[in-house]
Amino acid sequence: MGSAMVSHIIAAGYLVTVYARDLRKSKDLQTKGARIANSPKELAEMSDVVFTIVGNSNDVRSLLLGEDGVLSGLKPGGVTVDMTSSKPELAREIHAEARRRNCWAVDAPVSGGDAGAREGTLGIFAGGDSEIVEWLSPVMKNMGTVSYMGGAGSGQSCKIGNQIAAASNLVGLAEGIVFAEKAGLDTVKWLEAVKDGAAGSAVMRLFGEMMVMRDYKATGFAEYMVKDLGMAAEAAMPGAALSKQLFTGMVANGDGKLGIQGVVSVIRRLNGLS
């Protein structure tokens, strides 16, 4: 996702420097004009604004707050924008440390997966100082639509809520498809019949046919859904906890790198279907 997002910023005419833990991932961006930094600190020293998107909260902590991290090199007045789906309390900690250094921090996790990143249509949930988010908007609009949610950590809380709703939709859709199949219905016709009624949803439009065809190509990894729902379950959300168990089943089956629509495979197994 990060590479596609950066490509839009380069295309908009911004001077971009890239740091990637795996340099192979930056080759395409170099051909588009991106400069390369050798560490997060060096990247920050070369930049006014640093966008980050990595795997999980531990990665975020190391990348931003580590000894050689972004905040160790960012100049006063600089801004760091973390677009990883991470913990709200970590976002608040990063914001506090940034302000201590006379810098700014925004948490801006995204929704829309690989397709949204490629097409520049991501949903971006921003938390932090409103004037900084407004100042960043000309850059971020190249990646998608920005929604300002409130103070530091609010963007992360918004993303967790998004994942609760999305996961519940995915599980419900998966169960509907499997029930229709067991009842002897043509599942493609079933999707067509219900898609414009109350059961219809963006999740159905995006993933319904993929579930029916057992196309589990990843636009968002199942293992990341487990991570996000884990943060939701900490808030005593029973539906999120149930969804997490089902996505954890995917990971346990060795399918953590498959797409989130693959949760239907768990429902199929529970119903004795191959």
Side-chain angles (χ1 to χ4, degrees), residues 239-259:
L242 177 58
S243 295
K244 178 177 178 287
Q245 289 182 25
L246 294 169
F247 282 97
T248 299
M250 277 190 70
V251 175
N253 289 328
D255 296 336
K257 295 293 186 185
L258 296 183

Side-chain angles (χ1 to χ4, degrees), residues 152-170:
S154 298
Q156 297 295 353
S157 293
C158 181
K159 177 60 186 290
I160 293 171
N162 178 87
Q163 297 300 80
I164 292 171
S168 297
N169 270 267
L170 284 160

Side-chain angles (χ1 to χ4, degrees), residues 105-128:
V106 170
D107 52 291
V110 299
S111 178
D114 289 350
R118 287 193 305 270
E119 297 164 11
T121 57
L122 293 169
I124 304 172
F125 313 128

Side-chain angles (χ1 to χ4, degrees), residues 4-76:
M5 293 158 73
V6 172
S7 294
H8 292 302
I9 297 175
I10 294 173
Y14 291 94
L15 178 63
V16 173
T17 304
V18 174
Y19 167 73
R21 291 173 291 184
D22 182 349
L23 287 176
R24 292 172 297 180
K25 295 183 177 180
S26 65
K27 293 295 184 183
D28 180 61
L29 296 173
Q30 291 182 62
T31 66
K32 295 176 180 177
R35 302 178 299 177
I36 300 300
N38 295 311
S39 70
K41 181 178 182 179
E42 181 180 291
L43 174 70
E45 291 171 342
M46 300 168 67
S47 307
D48 299 312
V49 180
V50 178
F51 289 90
T52 54
I53 182 165
V54 288
N56 55 55
S57 297
N58 290 334
D59 293 331
V60 172
R61 178 177 293 281
S62 174
L63 187 65
L64 290 170
L65 298 176
E67 184 176 339
D68 197 37
V70 169
L71 286 180
S72 69
L74 200 62
K75 296 180 290 290

Side-chain angles (χ1 to χ4, degrees), residues 178-248:
V178 171
F179 178 85
E181 180 180 348
K182 292 186 70 175
L185 302 179
D186 181 319
T187 49
V188 173
K189 288 184 178 179
W190 177 80
L191 283 174
E192 184 65 26
V194 304
K195 68 181 179 63
D196 294 323
S201 67
V203 164
M204 183 177 288
R205 292 191 297 274
L206 289 168
F207 298 112
E209 185 175 349
M210 296 176 79
M211 283 188 178
V212 167
M213 302 306 295
R214 304 184 204 179
D215 175 2
Y216 305 146
K217 180 180 178 181
T219 59
F221 292 140
E223 64 183 13
Y224 287 172
M225 182 64 84
V226 172
K227 173 200 69 173
D228 294 345
L229 292 175
M231 293 186 286
E234 292 174 5
M237 297 289 120
L242 177 58
S243 295
K244 178 177 178 287
Q245 289 182 25
L246 294 169
F247 282 97
T248 299

